[in-house]
Amino acid sequence: GKKVTDPGFTQVMSWQAIPPEENMPQVKEGDKLDIKEAKLSDRQTSPPGYLTESDLITLMEKHGIGTDASIPVHINNICTRNYVTIESGRRLVPTNLGIVLVHGYLKIDPDLVKP
């Protein structure tokens, strides 16, 4: 099994976390276990890359957000309101305002920021 000591970015992006079935099994003092293999690794996780405009459009269509006509308007709005900037490769990079906004919505109701 696996044990997460610090959830890192998966605390916010829970769909990227280790699934519960991969967690360490519950054991009590005195339980005997057969050890098949033991590994210790010290690594850092890294968050996924930023979405491109086409990635965002695909996700919006998948989750039923907007219509073919309104999706470009939504993307224009998040750019105009300075929630994201468009950088090389048409990647949407969140601004400080966009990040703070998402954290505020998380505190109000986490369902507001889930995909």
Side-chain angles (χ1 to χ4, degrees):
K2 298 177 183 174
K3 180 179 180 184
V4 176
T5 56
D6 181 4
F9 74 91
T10 61
Q11 189 170 12
V12 176
M13 302 171 89
S14 57
W15 63 94
Q16 300 257 336
I18 293 174
E21 58 271 7
E22 292 184 25
N23 286 337
M24 296 284 287
Q26 295 294 321
V27 294
K28 296 180 282 219
E29 188 174 339
D31 286 353
K32 294 190 181 206
L33 304 171
D34 293 331
I35 298 176
K36 296 178 183 174
E37 180 182 1
K39 287 194 262 182
L40 180 62
S41 62
D42 185 20
R43 346 177 251 165
Q44 295 282 326
T45 60
S46 58
Y50 295 118
L51 295 176
T52 63
E53 282 184 88
S54 88
D55 294 335
L56 180 58
I57 290 168
T58 302
L59 284 171
M60 290 175 77
E61 288 171 346
K62 177 183 172 188
H63 294 286
I65 300 169
T67 63
D68 287 345
S70 69
I71 286 175
V73 174
H74 291 306
I75 293 173
N76 184 55
N77 284 342
I78 64 173
C79 294
T80 304
R81 294 176 184 171
N82 198 30
Y83 300 150
V84 297
T85 57
I86 299 176
E87 298 198 352
S88 67
R90 305 296 292 171
R91 298 229 174 263
L92 300 170
V93 178
T95 62
N96 287 337
L97 175 61
I99 292 168
V100 169
L101 184 69
V102 169
H103 284 269
Y105 284 146
L106 268 172
K107 288 184 187 267
I108 294 169
D109 183 1
D111 288 338
L112 292 173
V113 293
K114 284 186 180 175

